Amino acid sequence: MHTVKRAIILAAGVGKRMRPITETTPKPMIKVNGVRMMDTVIEGLYANGIYEIYVVVGYLKKRFRELTEKYKSIHIIENPYYEFCNNISSLYVAREHLEDAIVLDGDQIIYNNAILAKEFERSGYNTIWTDERTNEWLMQVNEKGIVTSCSRCGGTGGWQLFSISRWSAEDGKKLKRHLEEEFEEKHNNGIYWDDVVMFCHFDEYELGVRPMVAGDIVEVDSFDELVSLDNSYLLFGKEQIR
């Protein structure tokens, strides 16, 4: 078994699909029913004894100072590439902290802290099994629990990938090297960082899955989804349109 020693929270994105609210508030700092999404992530980590936390920021970066006032163990890392690169740039700037790490997005809501437990057997992603058709990334696993393939365009019957992953010391070193290769040498800055392990260098990892169930976590991808969770934003949207 491996143990998570640190966390990297990616929070540099612009959040275009969450406009108009993200014009003044970075997406992870948006409150849903009175609680910021980022707080559910950090407090979930704290509940599992993970206190060394690195938050990668870019868009509206000054707003994240609120976190350092509330949580004294937070370290801010600035991503100078966020405006013209995909999120590979965010993990790239935090690559020195990838050994024995859990990597998460800040713009999700954690409802079950147990999904952030720090003990793990294999590097890999939190997942939810789905029998229904999905357009999300979908993984297949063999009888040993090792990921054998991943589809970017989804499918039917498989493990849906979520933005929580754990990396052993060995795989963290490997991922650091692969990030440098893709970002520095190949200038492959338009991809998701997950592409690095799931497609660019898939054969160099033996990834596992960490099962969750629906309701453990919610990923908020658009303003409409935000309104469905907290209808107080419906009025906000209408006022912005006027």
Side-chain angles (χ1 to χ4, degrees):
M1 295 293 287
H2 304 282
T3 303
V4 169
K5 297 178 181 177
R6 56 194 57 85
I8 300 171
I9 304 176
L10 307 182
V14 175
K16 292 180 180 179
R17 289 190 291 169
M18 294 286 282
R19 288 175 176 166
I21 193 169
T22 49
E23 291 175 3
T24 56
T25 304
K27 186 179 174 184
M29 300 293 279
I30 293 173
K31 290 184 178 180
V32 180
N33 298 312
V35 180
R36 294 179 303 200
M37 289 190 277
M38 180 70 89
D39 285 303
T40 72
V41 176
I42 295 172
E43 290 172 12
L45 292 169
Y46 276 16
N48 284 283
I50 303 169
Y51 299 103
E52 183 184 339
I53 301 174
Y54 302 88
V55 180
V56 182
V57 304
Y59 178 66
L60 297 177
K61 61 186 179 183
K62 292 182 179 179
R63 286 293 307 273
F64 290 93
R65 291 175 182 171
E66 300 168 26
L67 294 178
T68 60
E69 295 170 1
K70 182 176 181 180
Y71 306 103
K72 301 306 179 183
S73 63
I74 296 290
H75 307 275
I76 299 294
I77 300 175
E78 292 189 21
N79 176 4
Y81 313 104
Y82 79 93
E83 290 185 275
F84 51 89
C85 294
N86 210 329
N87 78 351
I88 184 177
S89 64
S90 285
L91 197 59
Y92 170 78
V93 299
R95 64 193 184 281
E96 299 297 337
H97 309 290
L98 276 169
E99 296 178 32
D100 297 315
I102 186 170
V103 180
L104 316 88
D105 285 349
D107 56 356
Q108 52 194 348
I109 306 170
I110 306 298
Y111 287 111
N112 178 7
N113 290 338
I115 66 174
L116 303 184
K118 59 185 178 180
E119 293 78 17
F120 65 105
E121 182 177 356
R122 292 183 184 278
S123 300
Y125 289 83
N126 278 40
T127 59
I128 292 179
W129 175 265
T130 178
D131 288 310
E132 299 178 359
R133 174 74 193 183
T134 178
N135 294 323
E136 303 295 336
W137 288 23
L138 199 67
M139 298 183 291
Q140 302 300 323
V141 176
N142 66 18
E143 66 281 359
K144 295 181 180 179
I146 299 173
V147 177
T148 56
S149 65
C150 180
S151 168
R152 286 192 185 91
C153 55
T156 304
W159 294 98
Q160 181 181 331
L161 180 153
F162 280 76
S163 300
I164 302 173
S165 61
R166 293 166 180 80
W167 303 94
S168 67
E170 179 182 355
D171 286 335
K173 291 177 183 177
K174 197 182 300 182
L175 180 52
K176 174 180 179 292
R177 186 174 72 251
H178 291 154
L179 285 165
E180 291 170 344
E181 178 181 337
E182 297 300 324
F183 194 77
E184 296 175 5
E185 299 174 24
K186 297 182 180 178
H187 306 290
N188 205 0
N189 57 24
I191 62 174
Y192 294 108
W193 78 260
D194 310 274
D195 281 296
V196 174
V197 293
M198 299 308 299
F199 299 103
C200 301
H201 301 275
F202 179 75
D203 291 340
E204 298 188 50
Y205 297 87
E206 281 196 352
L207 302 179
V209 297
R210 188 153 187 135
M212 304 185 297
V213 297
D216 284 345
I217 182 175
V218 171
E219 295 182 341
V220 185
D221 293 324
S222 67
F223 185 78
D224 288 342
E225 290 181 9
L226 175 62
V227 170
S228 71
L229 293 169
D230 185 345
N231 61 17
S232 67
Y233 287 105
L234 184 60
L235 179 61
F236 180 93
K238 289 180 179 178
E239 288 177 344
Q240 293 297 111
I241 292 170
R242 288 174 186 169

